[in-house]
């Protein structure tokens, strides 16, 4: 198992229920693959340095988790199919 940190942005156009659904979906990918989630920190709404998809702000979420090396690729696959998902970044600790 590897330790990962993932920062991702959910669209500001999503209401609270849709935002929670995206967070649950991403967390579910980790747990379904046998990984464990250490914490999910909902940072909140922040302005972008430059417009992304004609938006100037988004909801930032920081997630720390332990999982096998195949999980980040699966998260990327699911993220590209998910509505309201803007950007993401992984760091292996």
């Amino acid at each position: 198992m590897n330790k990962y940190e993932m920062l991702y942005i959910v669209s500001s156009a999503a209401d609270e229920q849709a935002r929670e659904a995206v967070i649950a979906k991403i967390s579910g990918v980790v747990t379904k693959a046998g990984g464990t989630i250490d914490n999910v920190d909902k940072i909140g709404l922040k302005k972008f340095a430059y417009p992304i998809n004609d938006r100037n702000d988004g909801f930032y979420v920081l997630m720390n988790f332990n999982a096998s090396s195949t999980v980040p690729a699966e998260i990327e696959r699911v993220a590209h199919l998910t509505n309201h998902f803007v950007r993401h970044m992984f760091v292996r600790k």
Side-chain angles (χ1 to χ4, degrees), residues 21-43:
V22 170
I23 294 169
K25 189 173 196 177
I26 298 300
S27 298
V29 172
V30 175
T31 56
K32 190 182 285 186
T36 58
I37 297 175
D38 295 335
N39 70 331
V40 177
D41 185 17
K42 299 172 186 168
I43 297 171

Side-chain angles (χ1 to χ4, degrees), residues 24-65:
K25 189 173 196 177
I26 298 300
S27 298
V29 172
V30 175
T31 56
K32 190 182 285 186
T36 58
I37 297 175
D38 295 335
N39 70 331
V40 177
D41 185 17
K42 299 172 186 168
I43 297 171
L45 204 61
K46 299 278 185 185
K47 291 188 78 63
F48 296 149
Y50 53 89
I52 301 173
N53 298 338
D54 298 324
R55 298 270 179 208
N56 292 320
D57 55 1
F59 192 86
Y60 284 68
V61 180
L62 180 67
M63 180 172 72
N64 292 305
F65 62 97

